[in-house]
Amino acid sequence: MKLIIAIVQDEDAPGLIEDLTEEEYRVTKLASTGGFLKSGNTTLLIGVEDEKVDHVLNIIEDTCKTREITTSLMTVTMPGDTYIPYPLDVKIGGATIFILDVEKYIRV
Ligand code: 2BA
Ligand code: 2BA
């Protein structure tokens, strides 16, 4: 058994959850926030048998798109401690995925 932790963009989450549950995978959705952009993203926990991992990864790849966004996160410091935001292009990946071994999966 593996636990797939997938951090995806909010826009992709509903479609991905639908595709996964249609294929009878179980999913838990957590609302999360990226440390860099400080904006919302979605973390999905997907517990699956080892041999299903590749299939789940394919579904994630098919659903989640890479996007380039312009953010005004970065600032330049001006005299007098004034901060001026300037645009910064950031490429957000389709999904950031961690795969962990699960010691036990119990539903009581
Ligand atoms: P839900 O996904 O909202 O699922 C609620 C209940 O619906 C599940 O109870 C299960 O009986 C059924 N169910 C869910 N997905 C299904 C599917 N694809 N096909 C058939 N039946 C399905 P529990 O199994 O006790 O799960 C309770 C909650 O625990 C789930 O809420 C989910 O948030 C989480 N969960 C359970 N197994 C998981 C897993 N392998 N990976 C990630 N999260 C899991
Ligand atoms: P954020 O931290 O908001 O990052 C959004 C995007 O900003 C990242 O996209 C990356 O392109 C860029 N970025 C992040 N940190 C950076 C840094 N220190 N310097 C320069 N650019 C940086 P992704 O890499 O696709 O990540 C999307 C989201 O996935 C992240 O949102 C974060 O929530 C999560 N994530 C990515 N890698 C992670 C890791 N190793 N551990 C935990 N969470 C991770």
Side-chain angles (χ1 to χ4, degrees), residues 21 24-28 45-47 105 107:
T21 44
E24 306 209 337
Y25 293 110
R26 285 159 201 245
V27 186
T28 297
L45 307 180
I46 312 151
Y105 170 57
R107 291 158 66 222

Side-chain angles (χ1 to χ4, degrees), residues 73-86:
L73 171 87
M74 289 297 170
T75 54
V76 277
T77 312
M78 300 296 284
D81 280 346
T82 318
Y83 291 92
I84 301 183
Y86 69 88

Side-chain angles (χ1 to χ4, degrees), residues 4 23 25 48-58:
I4 301 174
E23 298 280 344
Y25 293 110
V48 289
E49 291 80 22
D50 291 16
E51 61 275 15
K52 300 277 179 60
V53 169
D54 287 341
H55 186 224
V56 170
L57 294 182
N58 285 339

Side-chain angles (χ1 to χ4, degrees), residues 18 21 30 32-33 40 44 63 65 78-79 82 84 93 105 107:
E18 203 177 308
T21 44
L30 309 174
S32 45
T33 305
L44 299 182
T63 317
K65 315 250 178 318
M78 300 296 284
T82 318
I84 301 183
Y105 170 57
R107 291 158 66 222

